[in-house]
């Protein structure tokens, strides 16, 4: 077995080196992670000597800053939206950064995706990992509690990537992180015409005009939101347009956490490859976009499909959505796994 790690300077940002940590397994599958933003920059598989990228990445920090979209970045302390940028823990009121309309999105303007982490490799007989760590003061991002966070990316020889987020705090705080990965597993990657999606879910959340959950769960059966059988994404978008004049998917699905049953899968309609997604939390956000071409984005011509496994968004303000409170002396770890499979 040949497992490799490589550490290089990827770029500089504001006078700091941005490091790239690369993990390679014995099948020449390659995963690269950037220290800035805990960014998953590469997931490249080797198919008969041909390298196939499965996710979207960029070549320099200027492009990442220009493109935005939280492109494959690690998101926290809290993924998704917090209504009113306000919540309570133990009857204590807290306000955090209101960085989108009247709510907080993806941890605010000082979330995980804005931080430069320290990285450390580790290895065992069958896998290689890089763990990114950071100490975050309460004054850094307005959340209560000083937080120690570790984000561990692991690649094994079965072509499985796992991302484990661990949080430890000295005061009660919120912790609902994810990775905002963007997929295109097709050969041409120009659109989502050949990209299919499957989600095992009976319901998605109703949103208000700011895309903050109202608290209501809506059945997906028989609608454009129904991905229980795999659907080409552009077919579903056309159905969404016909049903409600919708222009994109930017939706939160309720799923059943499982270690051995995928909550979702993505793949190409040519039947060459697929990726199974596993999560220990109860929601998957899906989002269609074209981060690289504003004109095509405005025309709703998408080439990227984001999946964000997390606890249902705005959970702190909806008691039946799940518990995202992190307490002192009770460190928590949340893991998302991605299993690549070659089909032919």
């Amino acid at each position: 077995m040949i497992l490799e790690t490589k550490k290089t300077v990827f770029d500089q940002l504001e006078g700091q080196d941005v490091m790239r940590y690369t993990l390679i397994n014995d099948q020449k599958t390659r995963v690269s992670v950037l220290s800035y933003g805990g960014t998953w920059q590469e997931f490249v598989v080797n198919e008969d000597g041909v390298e196939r990228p499965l996710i979207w990445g960029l070549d320099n920090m200027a492009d990442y800053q220009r493109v935005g979209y939280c492109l494959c970045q690690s998101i926290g302390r809290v993924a998704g939206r917090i209504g009113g940028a306000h919540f309570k823990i133990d009857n204590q009121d807290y306000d955090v950064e209101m960085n989108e309309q009247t709510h907080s999105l993806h941890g605010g303007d000082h979330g995980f995706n804005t931080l430069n982490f320290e990285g450390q490799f580790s290895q065992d007989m069958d896998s290689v990992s890089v763990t990114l760590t950071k100490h975050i003061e309460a004054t850094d991002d307005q959340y209560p509690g000083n937080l120690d966070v570790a984000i561990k990316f692991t690649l094994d020889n079965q072509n499985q990537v796992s991302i484990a987020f661990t949080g430890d705090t000295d005061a009660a705080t919120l912790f609902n992180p994810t990775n905002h990965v963007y997929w295109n597993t097709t050969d041409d990657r120009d659109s989502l015409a050949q990209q299919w999606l499957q989600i095992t879910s009976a319901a998605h959340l109703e949103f208000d005009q700011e895309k903050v959950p109202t608290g209501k769960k809506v059945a997906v059966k028989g609608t454009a939101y129904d991905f229980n059988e795999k659907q080409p994404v552009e077919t579903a978008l056309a159905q969404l347009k016909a049903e409600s004049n919708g222009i994109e998917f930017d939706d939160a699905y309720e799923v059943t956490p499982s270690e051995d049953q995928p909550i979702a899968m993505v793949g190409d309609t040519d039947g060459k490859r697929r990726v199974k997604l596993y999560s220990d939390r109860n929601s998957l956000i899906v989002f269609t976009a074209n981060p690289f071409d504003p004109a095509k984005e405005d025309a709703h011509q998408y080439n990227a499909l984001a999946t964000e496994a997390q606890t249902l968004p705005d959970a702190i303000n909806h008691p039946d959505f799940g518990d995202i409170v992190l307490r002192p002396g009770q460190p928590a770890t949340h893991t998302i796994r991605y299993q690549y499979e070659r089909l032919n």
Side-chain angles (χ1 to χ4, degrees):
M1 293 184 181
I2 304 170
L3 293 162
E4 293 182 61
T5 58
K6 296 179 180 179
K7 178 181 178 182
T8 57
V9 176
F10 174 71
D11 205 344
Q12 282 204 326
L13 184 67
E14 297 173 353
Q16 291 184 317
D17 284 341
V18 175
M19 306 306 299
R20 174 163 52 190
Y21 301 92
T22 300
L23 313 173
I24 304 170
N25 72 7
D26 63 2
Q27 297 174 58
K28 297 183 181 178
T29 297
R30 184 173 73 249
V31 167
S32 291
V33 179
L34 304 182
S35 61
Y36 187 84
T39 303
W40 189 5
Q41 191 232 355
E42 287 186 315
F43 185 7
V44 177
V45 295
N46 190 293
E47 296 178 348
D48 298 328
V50 178
E51 290 195 340
R52 295 289 184 192
L54 304 179
I55 68 173
W56 286 108
L58 298 169
D59 294 329
N60 56 71
M61 287 309 303
D63 284 347
Y64 275 103
Q65 298 293 94
R66 175 180 55 81
V67 165
Y69 280 77
C70 297
L71 191 74
C72 297
Q73 292 179 325
S74 294
I75 303 299
R77 302 183 189 194
V78 177
R81 293 172 171 85
I82 298 177
H86 179 85
F87 56 88
K88 289 185 178 182
I89 302 176
D90 302 331
N91 291 318
Q92 175 75 40
D93 287 285
Y94 296 98
D95 293 293
V96 289
E97 291 175 334
M98 191 180 287
N99 64 320
E100 186 179 89
Q101 299 180 70
T102 66
H103 59 264
S104 180
L105 176 64
H106 290 335
D109 286 331
H110 300 86
F112 292 177
N113 63 309
T114 68
L115 305 178
N116 202 17
F117 291 79
E118 294 292 327
Q120 186 72 43
F121 287 122
S122 57
Q123 184 170 334
D124 62 23
M125 287 294 293
D126 195 48
S127 66
V128 282
S129 304
V130 60
T131 301
L132 305 178
T133 57
K134 193 76 173 178
H135 176 76
I136 302 168
E137 294 284 332
T139 51
D140 292 338
D141 61 2
Q142 294 187 9
Y143 279 84
N146 302 312
L147 180 71
D148 286 301
V149 62
I151 308 171
K152 185 178 183 179
F153 290 78
T154 300
L155 170 66
D156 68 18
N157 276 322
Q158 288 69 52
N159 290 321
Q160 179 177 250
V161 178
S162 65
I163 309 176
F165 299 87
T166 299
D168 193 5
T169 184
D170 60 0
T173 190
L174 303 187
F175 190 61
N176 186 17
T178 192
N179 187 278
H180 206 308
V181 60
Y182 286 79
W183 303 94
N184 191 316
T185 64
T186 71
D187 283 352
D188 67 27
R189 311 192 91 214
D190 288 331
S191 72
L192 296 179
Q194 308 300 318
Q195 177 73 65
W196 60 258
L197 170 67
Q198 184 174 357
I199 310 171
T200 303
S201 172
H204 70 105
L205 296 186
E206 179 185 77
F207 290 153
D208 67 15
Q209 291 185 337
E210 292 191 15
K211 298 183 180 178
V212 175
T214 65
K216 182 180 178 181
K217 299 173 184 178
V218 182
V220 302
K221 188 173 182 179
T223 73
Y225 296 97
D226 189 350
F227 288 95
N228 281 283
E229 300 296 328
K230 68 181 184 182
Q231 299 287 341
V233 177
E234 286 198 352
T235 300
L237 283 164
Q239 185 180 350
L240 184 67
K241 176 77 171 175
E243 285 180 4
S244 64
N245 207 32
I247 59 171
E248 65 180 1
F249 287 103
D250 187 2
D251 293 277
Y253 285 81
E254 185 175 34
V255 300
T256 301
S258 178
E259 289 189 4
D260 55 12
Q261 297 296 319
I263 62 167
M265 293 186 282
V266 296
D268 69 305
T269 58
D270 289 335
K272 294 181 180 179
R273 63 194 69 88
R274 70 182 175 194
V275 180
K276 295 179 176 178
L277 281 66
Y278 301 83
S279 172
D280 56 13
R281 287 173 292 166
N282 67 359
S283 182
L284 183 73
I285 314 302
V286 296
F287 176 48
T288 50
N290 189 325
F292 319 106
D293 188 325
K296 288 186 176 181
E297 172 72 18
D298 288 344
H300 321 307
Q301 297 173 7
Y302 305 126
N303 67 346
L305 174 69
T307 63
E308 306 153 60
Q310 59 172 86
T311 301
L312 285 163
D314 202 26
I316 190 60
N317 292 315
H318 301 276
D320 62 333
F321 279 15
D323 184 6
I324 63 168
V325 177
L326 182 69
R327 296 188 179 278
Q330 301 176 32
T333 298
H334 299 300
T335 302
I336 313 167
R337 294 190 291 119
Y338 309 87
Q339 176 67 65
Y340 159 79
E341 295 178 346
R342 186 172 181 185
L343 302 179
N344 66 32

